[in-house]
Amino acid sequence: NAGVTQTPKFQVLKTGQSMTLQCAQDMNHNSMYWYRQDPGMGLRLIYYSASEGTTDKGEVPNGYNVSRLNKREFSLRLESAAPSQTSVYFCASSGHSGRAADTQYFGPGTRLTVL
Amino acid sequence: GESVGLHLPTLSVQEGDNSIINCAYSNSASDYFIWYKQESGKGPQFIIDIRSNMDKRQGQRVTVLLNKTVKHLSLQIAATQPGDSAVYFCAERRPSGSRLTFGEGTQLTVNP
């Protein structure tokens, strides 16, 4: 039982390049989330998926897109990377959807630098 | 050792002491609270949670206290060990949905 896994662990991009961050969970959770973490700003929600087939914007969705590929996988795409997207990205999952979300479990993170 | 206030980012304690990490939350209607531990280079790790119908919950060496009157949450770590050195975040779930809102965190350093 690996929990939440993320790939890649590290990535360096040039401005304007695109990439997809992958996330998978093996806990049979309904809900999945993407956060970014910046110094002094805590964790900020980018997008979330309350259940398979649904996605919703979080606090900072601009410049990102997501795909809930199936119940296990939730990917985050940067279409045209900008230096402001340099951050650490965390994926998380929780066991319930809608209002009854329980504890969120986090992956190890992807450290992204955009030059 | 104890952290106080919203924006005190660091707490330094001696090994074996008890630590108290404080968090002020913003929404009086929040119904669920979690403490996470984040070690350097790793993702946040769940420590303990508490629902708004409780004022205290204990785990192994950790206790969370909830004071709804003043919207205050604290994490107490007994007999702090070097392995407890990390950033500790509180998070609240607001009643409008399933999202969590996270505090900025407190860096706990345990000195041998």
Side-chain angles (χ1 to χ4, degrees):
Chain A
N1 191 336
V4 180
T5 58
Q6 293 183 236
T7 56
K9 293 190 187 309
F10 301 94
Q11 184 71 50
V12 178
L13 294 176
K14 295 180 180 178
T15 297
Q17 287 185 316
S18 62
M19 78 161 296
T20 300
L21 282 65
Q22 306 287 353
C23 174
Q25 53 90 11
D26 62 2
M27 296 175 282
N28 200 35
H29 284 169
N30 288 331
S31 300
M32 297 185 74
Y33 311 81
W34 276 106
Y35 293 90
R36 60 178 290 172
Q37 185 177 44
D38 302 292
M41 301 194 73
L43 287 160
R44 292 184 293 169
L45 183 65
I46 304 171
Y47 271 94
Y48 69 103
S49 171
S51 62
E52 186 178 355
T54 67
T55 61
D56 287 286
K57 295 179 180 180
E59 182 183 355
V60 288
N62 291 345
Y64 305 95
N65 286 301
V66 291
S67 296
R68 184 73 182 267
L69 305 171
N70 47 56
K71 191 171 186 178
R72 290 187 64 249
E73 299 172 288
F74 189 38
S75 63
L76 178 72
R77 182 160 178 83
L78 286 70
E79 290 292 350
S80 178
S84 61
Q85 293 178 306
T86 294
S87 188
V88 182
Y89 291 85
F90 289 102
C91 178
S93 69
S94 65
H96 298 279
S97 62
R99 296 177 59 110
D102 279 334
T103 306
Q104 293 183 21
Y105 295 91
F106 286 81
T110 294
R111 283 143 188 83
L112 175 67
T113 301
V114 183
L115 303 174
Chain B
E2 181 172 354
S3 72
V4 294
L6 274 173
H7 301 295
L8 186 70
T10 63
L11 175 64
S12 185
V13 302
Q14 291 299 122
E15 183 177 358
D17 287 352
N18 296 332
S19 301
I20 300 174
I21 300 171
N22 296 300
C23 179
Y25 63 92
S26 58
N27 192 318
S28 58
S30 292
D31 61 356
Y32 178 61
F33 305 87
I34 307 176
W35 279 101
Y36 286 94
K37 172 186 180 182
Q38 186 175 23
E39 296 175 276
S40 181
K42 297 184 178 180
Q45 176 187 0
F46 169 81
I47 303 174
I48 192 168
D49 60 1
I50 189 168
R51 300 194 185 275
S52 58
N53 60 353
M54 303 173 68
D55 54 19
K56 180 179 180 179
R57 190 160 188 234
Q58 289 184 293
Q60 188 175 13
R61 282 202 306 121
V62 294
T63 301
V64 55
L65 299 177
L66 175 62
N67 185 330
K68 295 182 287 292
T69 302
V70 294
K71 294 188 290 184
H72 184 268
L73 194 67
S74 68
L75 176 70
Q76 301 178 358
I77 305 173
T80 314
Q81 302 168 0
D84 294 327
S85 293
V87 175
Y88 290 81
F89 297 98
C90 67
E92 63 181 294
R93 185 179 71 194
R94 296 174 181 177
S96 60
S98 61
R99 306 182 201 179
L100 294 176
T101 300
F102 293 84
E104 291 184 19
T106 297
Q107 172 72 58
L108 175 66
T109 301
V110 182
N111 301 309

